[in-house]
Structures are given as C-alpha cells and as structure tokens.
C-alpha cells in the first residue's frame, strides 16, 4: 500500500503565477497542483480552460485574488486546429461523432468564410460549457442527454488568421490563430466555420497563447515548477500589480498612505481616472485600487496591512526548509 502523502503546512503566498496548463487537466486541477507546490493558503484562477486546451492560465494567490476579476475582461489569443468533415457532440475531439460529410470547399471559400467570422459576431454557447442556466452548468444538462435553449451572445473576433490548411486527404483541417474578446467559445467558432463551409467540423487542438498582457513565453509548466526549490517557486510569482497593467499609478507618502489604506479618500492634483493602482512609498508596495474624481482618490479594493507585510516578507526572507 502506498505511503500517505505528507501533510502540507500552508502559508500566506501573494502573487500571480503564469502557468502553461497541460493537456488533460481541468483548470481547477492545475490550480490545486500549483497551490500544493507553493503551499499557498488561498488561490484562484482568472478564467477556465477546458481539459482539451493548453496554454496561458494566470493563477492568483493571496492578495492577487482581489484583482483576478479585472482580468476576466481581457482579450484572449488562441491557436487551434479544426478538423473538417466531422461534427461531434461536444464540438471537440472528446465528443461522439454525429455526422460526417465530404469536404468540397475551395481555398477561396475558406478565406471568404473566415472573413465573415471576423469582427462582431453572435455565438450560441455550446451545450458542453460551464455557462449556467437556472443555476446549473450547461454541461450537466448535456451529460444528462438534455438540450436547453441558449441565448446568442455578442462577441468580437479581432483577428482570424489562417496558419495552415489541407482540404484533401483523410483528415482535412484548418489551423487558425484567433484573437478575440472575452466570452468567445473557440469550440463554437470552429463548429460554426465548419458548418458555413458545408462540411461541419470540430476542434482537435486548442492552445491559449496570450491573455491580456500575458503570453506563453512567460509561462511555467507544472513539471518545471515542481523541479524548483521553495525559494525559486516563490521567485516565479509576479507581484499582484501585474494584474493592473493599464491602471494609472499613484504613489502616496507616509500619513496619506496609511489613511488611504484605512479606506479614507485622499485629495490631490490628480486627473480624473477610472482605474488607478495606488502604492505606498516607504516601503514601495501596492495598497490597492481606486478611481479619481474631481481631485479625490477614492478607494475601490484594498489590501490589508497584514497582506502587505506578508508580501514584503515573502520577497525578502527565504522560506524555512523545515516547513517544506
């Protein structure tokens, strides 16, 4: 019988880990593995990737979870392969085949169809998705053999690039790069493109290569994270403010920083701004987010003094190997 896994002593960890999610794991499974490796008390992710999908998955720990919701609105970029001529129940390779059809379209027709799917479009969310209806995820209805009505959603395909194409042979396919707005279902996009070409289609590969300012080149795999020392794992984290790249930065000194951190408005010669990241100067540390209106700096989400102190300690003191 296998020996029981040693109990992990959790600790406060604050920051953002850019994970390259592996094939076959759900986003939550990947999160729990990273959380265990970092021995973190609190963690969350910034948007789900299907088990079939790989690529950029920002994971938030501790204080960074307060700002994870801001990243849900970020544009995403994917690379995907659409197998033409075969339609499945899930619009991807995990589903059962429901229809096959010959692929009789030309390269010119492919380009024309891709043009039609570029820009603002409407999508019907797939049944095999985590979107909820009446408090129940759509995939739960699908697994029970039910199909429920779904309202179309407006999304934007900013760019739809054809990377490769084979229309003949035993496995015709399109390889695409998609830059899109939040809420876009790439499985639905692939299925709709196949339908528009008259042959149907489903995804056989999906990789997220960018989300907001984060790209795959910045990511670390779970295997690489596991191979690191305790100190190296913490050093792989970005600070919480990495989630606030487009926020105007304001730094407060001494008493103003303390008062802002207690939830009080501050007055200064600041231009109106909807999104502001506020820092203290001694020591330099993120205090929270705010907005400026008529010269007033008004708090939105604040870190606690304890979180700020823990983050500063985490960055300056190596972890105790006896607690690993």
């Amino acid at each position: 019988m296998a020996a029981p896994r040693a109990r992990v002593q959790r600790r406060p960890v604050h920051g953002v880990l850019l994970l390259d999610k592996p094939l076959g794991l759900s986003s939550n499974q990947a999160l729990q593995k990273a959380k265990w490796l970092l021995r973190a008390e609190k963690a969350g992710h910034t948007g789900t990737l299907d088990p079939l999908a790989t690529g950029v998955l920002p994971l938030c720990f501790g204080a960074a979870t307060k700002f994870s919701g801001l990243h849900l609105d970020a544009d995403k970029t994917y690379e995907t392969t659409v197998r033409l001529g075969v339609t499945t129940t899930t619009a991807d390779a995990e589903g059962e085949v429901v229809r096959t059809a010959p692929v009789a379209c030309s390269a010119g027709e492919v380009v024309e169809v891709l043009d039609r799917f570029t820009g603002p479009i409407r999508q019907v969310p797939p049944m095999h998705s985590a979107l909820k209806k009446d408090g129940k995820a759509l995939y739960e209805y699908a697994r029970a053999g039910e199909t429920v009505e779904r309202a179309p959603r407006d999304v934007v395909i900013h760019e739809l690039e054809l990377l490769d194409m084979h229309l003949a042979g035993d496995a015709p396919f399109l390889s695409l790069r998609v830059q899109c707005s939040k809420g876009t279902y790439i499985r639905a996009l692939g299925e709709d493109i196949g339908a528009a070409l008259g042959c149907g289609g489903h995804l056989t590969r999906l990789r997220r290569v960018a989300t907001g300012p984060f790209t795959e080149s910045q990511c670390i795999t779970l295997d690489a994270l596991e191979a690191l020392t305790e100190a190296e794992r913490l050093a792989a984290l970005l600070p919480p403010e990495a989630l606030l790249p487009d926020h105007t930065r304001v730094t407060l000194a001494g008493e103003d920083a303390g008062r802002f951190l207690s939830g009080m408005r501050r007055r200064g010669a600041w231009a109106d701004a909807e999104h502001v990241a506020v820092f203290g100067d001694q020591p330099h540390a993120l205090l929270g987010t705010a907005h400026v209106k008529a010269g007033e700096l008004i708090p939105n989400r604040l870190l606690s003094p304890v979180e700020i102190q823990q983050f500063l300690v985490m960055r300056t003191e190596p972890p105790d190997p006896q607690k690993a």
Side-chain angles (χ1 to χ4, degrees):
M1 186 173 66
R5 174 180 277 187
R7 184 176 178 83
V8 173
Q9 184 171 345
R10 301 289 182 179
R11 60 183 174 181
V13 172
H14 304 282
V16 180
L17 182 74
L18 300 182
L19 183 70
D20 188 337
K21 190 191 84 65
L23 185 69
L25 289 187
S26 70
S27 293
N28 188 59
Q29 288 171 326
L31 171 68
Q32 295 306 320
K33 175 70 171 178
K35 183 180 178 183
W36 182 81
L37 289 171
L38 285 162
R39 299 196 287 118
E41 293 176 344
K42 183 179 181 182
H45 56 70
T46 61
T48 302
L49 277 178
D50 292 340
L52 174 72
T54 65
V56 186
L57 181 66
L59 304 180
C60 300
F61 296 90
T65 61
K66 293 184 174 182
F67 312 114
S68 60
L70 298 173
H71 194 75
L72 295 177
D73 292 339
D75 288 345
K76 314 289 193 297
T77 303
Y78 298 90
E79 291 184 356
T80 188
T81 300
V82 182
R83 166 67 159 91
L84 298 175
V86 180
T87 304
T88 71
T89 53
T90 58
D92 62 27
E94 295 183 329
E96 297 178 5
V97 175
V98 295
R99 187 172 73 92
T100 61
V103 178
C105 56
S106 66
E109 288 171 322
V110 169
V111 172
E112 181 183 344
V113 165
L114 295 184
D115 284 343
R116 281 162 41 194
F117 282 92
T118 303
I121 65 170
R122 305 201 88 192
Q123 278 192 331
V124 176
M127 280 300 302
H128 286 266
S129 67
L131 189 68
K132 292 190 175 181
K133 183 178 177 65
D134 299 328
K136 188 175 175 181
L138 289 179
Y139 66 76
E140 295 182 70
Y141 292 103
R143 288 172 181 171
E146 299 178 52
T147 300
V148 298
E149 187 175 348
R150 291 97 71 202
R153 304 174 71 179
D154 293 318
V155 298
V156 180
I157 308 299
H158 300 295
E159 186 176 345
L160 186 52
E161 181 183 357
L162 181 62
L163 301 177
D164 196 5
M165 170 175 59
H166 286 274
L167 301 179
D170 295 333
F173 70 88
L174 305 177
S175 181
L176 307 171
R177 183 179 178 92
V178 185
Q179 184 183 352
C180 56
S181 67
K182 69 169 184 175
T184 302
Y185 287 97
I186 305 300
R187 280 182 296 140
L189 178 66
E191 187 174 55
D192 290 346
I193 288 171
L197 290 170
C199 58
H202 69 275
L203 300 194
T204 58
R205 182 183 70 94
L206 179 61
R207 179 167 178 78
R208 187 154 70 189
V209 296
T211 173
F214 307 128
T215 66
E216 60 182 336
S217 64
Q218 299 172 274
C219 293
I220 187 170
T221 65
L222 284 173
D223 287 343
L225 185 68
E226 188 166 14
L228 298 178
T229 66
E230 284 262 294
E232 288 170 338
R233 289 174 190 169
L234 291 179
L237 295 171
L238 300 176
E241 58 263 31
L243 294 171
L244 313 173
D246 298 325
H247 283 51
T248 301
R249 295 199 167 203
V250 167
T251 300
L252 299 177
E255 185 177 311
D256 277 335
R259 290 182 181 275
F260 175 83
L261 200 55
S262 67
M264 297 179 65
R265 301 181 179 195
R266 300 286 84 202
R267 182 165 289 280
W270 300 297
D272 284 3
E274 187 175 352
H275 302 292
V276 179
V278 183
F279 295 82
D281 69 339
Q282 294 292 333
H284 182 75
L286 179 69
L287 305 180
T289 58
H291 61 283
V292 176
K293 186 174 182 180
E296 276 196 318
L297 185 67
I298 305 169
N300 290 343
R301 295 298 304 272
L302 297 173
L303 275 66
S304 71
V306 171
E307 288 172 330
I308 294 170
Q309 183 60 34
Q310 288 172 344
F311 175 73
L312 293 171
V313 169
M314 190 185 85
R315 283 303 191 190
T316 57
E317 294 184 8
D320 184 351
Q322 298 301 317
K323 296 180 180 180

